[in-house]
Amino acid sequence: MLIVDDLHAGYGASEVLVGTSLAVKQGAVVALIGANGAGKTTTMRAISGVLRPSHGRVLLDGKEVQGLDASRIARLGLAHSPEGRKVFGPLSVEDNLLLGAYGRLPKFLGFKAGAQADLDRVYELFPRLKDRARQASGTLSGGEQQMLAIGRALMARPKVMLLDEPSMGLAPVIVQEVFRTIRRLKEEGITLLLVEQFAKSALEVADHAYVMERGRIAVEGTPDELRRNERVLAAYLG
Ligand SMILES: Nc1ncnc2c1ncn2[C@@H]1O[C@H](COP(=O)(O)OP(=O)(O)OP(=O)(O)O)[C@@H](O)[C@H]1O
Ligand SMILES: [Mg+2]
């Protein structure tokens, strides 16, 4: 569903990604782990078009999307929940969710009706968001904002979802809740590329995993293979 082939990207003169390649099959949860600064966020940005890759290919459901605008790539079925869960603080929870469906629905007549089934689904997944539907998003707790960021990505009915550090800054019990949600999304058949600092937990939900070092993939395999790899074990799972 998603193929990244020899991707190069960076900021100004500094090249961060130096030939990143990975693949996410339909219905799979794939973990991308690695040290701080390895290039995980940059990889997600280069896939979603927030950052324009200088070389390489990104195929979304068979279609080349590298070089397209982020909004276009989103409409083609890629949802990106960025690091630091950027919700629109002054807007209500519900308006933030509706924004997630914006690219996919008619803009005036029928917008809300078209989004209602997805709203119901997100509220079922995160009852706490339903209770706070009219609350300004900026006043949500960190965990609630993360749920909102995931919910907003789901509203787009994406073919592939990119989740960058969903557990960052959250208390342990909320982190567990985030992972329960990811497990549930997986049961529902979502296709997901997940960047996580909690590598052990990420490997528990993942079907396949990549370890990134200095801008390229250093090791890949099934979670079991990675757990048996002594170098990976020492560096990321210790
Ligand atoms: N906007 C930017 N301008 C310049 N350099 C950047 C920018 N964003 C990231 N970098 C650099 O790119 C490299 C990779 O950063 P990136 O955010 O992709 O790492 P990461 O693997 O997501 O790390 P972390 O685990 O800390 O989130 C780092 O050296 C970082 O300093
Ligand atoms: Mg990052």
Side-chain angles (χ1 to χ4, degrees), residues 9-12 14-17 32-45 51 83 164-165 168 195-197 212 215:
Y11 306 92
S14 82
E15 195 168 51
V16 173
L17 303 184
L32 179 60
I33 60 180
N36 295 128
K40 306 179 298 294
T41 294
T42 305
T43 300
M44 288 198 159
R45 285 190 184 141
L51 187 68
E83 196 175 48
D164 196 350
E165 306 260 17
M168 188 162 59
V195 165
E196 250 303 326
Q197 51 176 336
M212 185 156 215

Side-chain angles (χ1 to χ4, degrees), residues 95-109:
D95 285 344
N96 262 277
L97 289 174
L98 290 172
L99 269 181
Y102 190 75
R104 154 176 93 67
L105 290 168
K107 294 296 165 281
F108 297 103
L109 279 179

Side-chain angles (χ1 to χ4, degrees), residues 169-188:
L170 302 180
V173 1
I174 310 295
V175 172
Q176 283 178 21
E177 203 173 319
V178 167
F179 275 100
R180 267 200 301 277
T181 305
I182 293 170
R183 240 175 240 115
R184 185 154 161 213
L185 294 175
K186 177 177 167 158
E187 284 161 15
E188 291 181 13

Side-chain angles (χ1 to χ4, degrees), residues 100-154:
Y102 190 75
R104 154 176 93 67
L105 290 168
K107 294 296 165 281
F108 297 103
L109 279 179
F111 180 78
K112 183 76 192 289
Q116 191 59 51
D118 302 83
L119 267 182
D120 291 345
R121 170 167 174 244
V122 170
Y123 286 148
E124 195 234 325
L125 198 57
F126 303 115
R128 241 185 291 176
L129 293 184
K130 185 171 190 178
D131 299 338
R132 291 166 178 73
R134 314 263 159 257
Q135 190 173 325
S137 307
T139 62
L140 294 177
S141 74
E144 290 162 355
Q145 287 191 24
Q146 185 55 58
M147 290 165 197
L148 179 54
I150 295 173
R152 190 178 56 196
L154 288 172

